[in-house]
Amino acid sequence: MTFRIAVGGIHTECSTSSPVLMQPEDFRVLRGADLLGAEYFNFLDADGVEHLPLLHARAVPGGPLARHTYEAFKAEFLDLLRASLPLDGLYLAMHGAMNVEGMDDAEGDWISAAREVVGPDLPIAASYDLHGNVTQRIVDQLDIFAAYRTAPHIDVRDTMIRAWSMLLKTIRTGERPGVAWAPVPVLLPGERTSTEDAPADGLYAKLPEHDKVAGVWDANLMVGYVWADEPRGTACAVVTATDKTAAKQAAEAIAMSYWNAREAFRFGPVTAPLAEVLDIAEKAETRPIILADSGDNPTGGGVGDRADVLKALIERQFDGAVIGGITDRPAVEACFAAGVGSALTLKIGGSLDPNSPSVETQAQVLSLDDPGNAAERQAVVKIGGITLILAARRRPYHNIADFTRHGIDPASVRLLVVKSGYLSPELSPLASPSLMALTDGVINQDIERLSNNRRRQPSYPFQKDFEYQADAKLSSRWADRA
């Protein structure tokens, strides 16, 4: 017997403080054979399964999706889903922190629409980023849920395989799981909850122990996403299981473990305002010092076009710094017009968000990178003792190849500046030391001072003097099932 399983989803993270709305061109969209052939999905090779690719749209985190962007992706996804019927299962590769203009709980809308198409009996599995937000609406549509257990995320593929494997298990055996969840009124940034640091490392290390309990398939701790001022923002425990009592007990235990540890979370690297970390960098005798510009991190929803750190380094006449990078398409186009070796006056920064600080400075064009699409162009310029990579499109510089592509060896520079929070798995081992600057931006780490008009209250650390006791809830579809 051959089982028919459809695959699709939408995956991004959105700061509601960003004025830069996501458009269709911001997404990498996989359809049909391109989806199945992508490295991201090449684990989809189960025997006896006909894999039916729908649409998967993924974007570097940023601002909210323009409503027309979301609605167009959703309509295409649903059309493909209808055309794939009948099905034996549906797998959705999601993130969980998407925000759409004029909408609360965008993932809830997407998953509910899929459920309406496939009907109440089809098993649906979803994989999530641990920085996603979960709601009762989302839980009510799902039979299977799995989330990353690492931050930085080094288990993305493993998590997707966990969700996929549970879906295969239920289709092949007929054993039908359900989902229980326990919201936790805590909302902290990922930089204070890295699984490489205490107490998160210990909390996440205990999750596999819950998986071993009879009737429990998969246990998860969700940190949630703090930079979206929306009612659903919360941490939570989510458990996939076949035993309702075991599921509720596991979810409540995980939830209470996070609540009880809430005051212990700290930043992992040396963290301070920009001026203080630059003082440390100037005195350091080791290299490479890696400095994270945390408030403008594109992988957390930052715009990526702020020139705060560049301005500070110019004022200090810092020698031996590499900045990767600042998004500024007009500056990139000016460099291409001038040509390699040219000197020109550049305005750098503020090309996307008018509130982002900019710098006007003399620069020399060192190299130009043109992959054939103007939106993907990059330019490397020299400003005194500073080497700066400029990008036409919003993007992170978190991998070694992002620098070696331009002839820069990150391990050999004195100071490497990246728009990041905690460092990526590739850069972190190089850092000597790792510094995180508490810079401004739409994902400012000073979360207690964020505008807080729509988040649920009370919620730690926005409010601190209140009590909490975990109370796990089953999905409605599981609760109604005998």
Side-chain angles (χ1 to χ4, degrees), residues 1-8 31-37 41-55 80-81 84-91 160 164-165 167-168 171-172:
M1 181 177 181
T2 299
F3 297 108
R4 293 168 54 85
I5 303 179
V7 180
R31 303 173 176 90
D34 288 339
L35 188 155
L36 293 181
F41 286 105
N42 66 7
F43 62 88
L44 300 173
D45 61 354
D47 292 335
V49 173
E50 182 180 359
H51 305 86
L52 301 168
L54 306 176
L55 168 148
L80 292 168
L81 181 59
S84 71
L85 298 176
L87 293 170
D88 296 290
L90 172 63
Y91 167 52
M160 296 172 75
W164 174 253
S165 298
L167 181 60
L168 287 178
I171 291 171
R172 286 172 170 165

Side-chain angles (χ1 to χ4, degrees), residues 120-456:
D121 299 325
L122 190 84
I124 299 180
S127 57
Y128 262 54
D129 189 309
L130 65 86
H131 298 128
N133 290 322
V134 178
T135 64
Q136 186 68 43
R137 185 184 187 191
I138 290 168
V139 168
D140 284 345
Q141 313 308 316
L142 297 174
D143 303 279
I144 293 164
F145 182 97
Y148 307 164
R149 292 175 173 176
T150 62
H153 307 314
I154 58 174
D155 66 334
V156 174
R157 184 181 181 88
D158 290 344
T159 301
M160 296 172 75
I161 291 173
R162 278 166 42 216
W164 174 253
S165 298
M166 286 188 284
L167 181 60
L168 287 178
K169 179 179 178 179
T170 194
I171 291 171
R172 286 172 170 165
T173 67
E175 193 175 9
R176 193 64 174 266
V179 178
W181 80 303
V184 188
V186 175
L187 202 51
L188 295 169
E191 285 69 25
R192 279 164 60 179
T193 52
S194 169
T195 59
E196 295 187 348
D197 303 315
D201 57 353
L203 298 179
Y204 278 87
K206 292 180 180 178
L207 294 181
E209 296 178 13
H210 291 286
D211 297 346
K212 297 175 184 178
V213 173
V216 173
W217 285 17
D218 199 87
N220 302 276
L221 172 57
M222 304 291 290
V223 170
Y225 182 70
V226 68
W227 291 294
D229 188 6
E230 57 183 10
R232 69 177 185 162
T234 185
C236 65
V238 188
V239 176
T240 301
T242 53
D243 184 303
K244 295 175 183 177
T245 300
K248 293 185 68 172
Q249 289 176 345
E252 290 171 358
I254 295 166
M256 290 307 301
S257 72
Y258 193 62
W259 170 259
N260 291 334
R262 67 193 183 282
E263 296 179 353
F265 288 98
R266 301 287 186 272
F267 293 115
V270 175
T271 305
L274 178 59
E276 293 182 28
V277 295
L278 287 180
D279 288 343
I280 296 171
E282 286 185 324
K283 297 172 184 175
E285 297 181 357
T286 55
R287 64 171 58 196
I289 309 155
I290 303 185
L291 187 155
D293 177 4
S294 65
D296 202 29
N297 170 21
T299 61
V303 178
D305 72 339
R306 296 179 65 95
D308 316 54
V309 181
L310 173 63
K311 180 180 180 181
L313 290 173
I314 291 173
E315 290 174 348
R316 289 174 180 248
Q317 297 182 325
F318 197 97
D319 187 30
V322 170
I323 303 176
I326 296 176
T327 301
D328 194 322
R329 185 163 180 171
V332 171
E333 291 176 349
C335 290
F336 270 81
V340 173
S342 300
L344 70 164
T345 300
L346 283 178
K347 175 184 174 293
I348 300 169
S351 65
L352 295 173
D353 182 353
N355 295 315
S356 293
S358 62
V359 172
E360 187 168 305
T361 185
Q362 284 292 114
Q364 180 185 14
V365 181
L366 296 182
S367 65
L368 300 170
D369 183 0
D370 186 357
N373 180 346
E376 303 297 335
R377 284 176 167 178
Q378 299 176 71
V380 182
V381 299
K382 189 80 169 177
I383 303 167
I386 304 162
T387 300
L388 167 66
I389 307 174
L390 293 164
R393 185 195 292 274
R394 292 180 61 255
R395 51 156 299 165
Y397 288 81
H398 289 181
N399 297 321
I400 291 174
D402 297 331
F403 298 93
T404 56
R405 178 182 182 93
H406 303 292
I408 299 168
D409 176 10
S412 68
V413 304
R414 178 184 175 195
L415 172 66
L416 182 68
V417 178
V418 289
K419 292 183 180 293
S420 182
Y422 47 64
L423 296 182
S424 68
E426 287 198 19
L427 294 182
S428 182
L430 299 179
S432 182
S434 171
L435 306 174
M436 189 167 76
L438 297 175
T439 47
D440 289 330
V442 301
I443 58 165
N444 193 308
Q445 294 288 333
D446 189 5
I447 61 169
E448 287 90 338
R449 295 187 182 181
L450 295 176
S451 60
N452 193 27
N453 301 312
R454 305 187 68 237
R455 294 179 185 86
R456 66 176 67 190

Side-chain angles (χ1 to χ4, degrees), residues 19-30:
V20 185
L21 297 180
M22 288 195 192
Q23 306 294 342
E25 58 269 23
D26 293 315
F27 284 81
R28 180 205 66 174
V29 183
L30 297 173

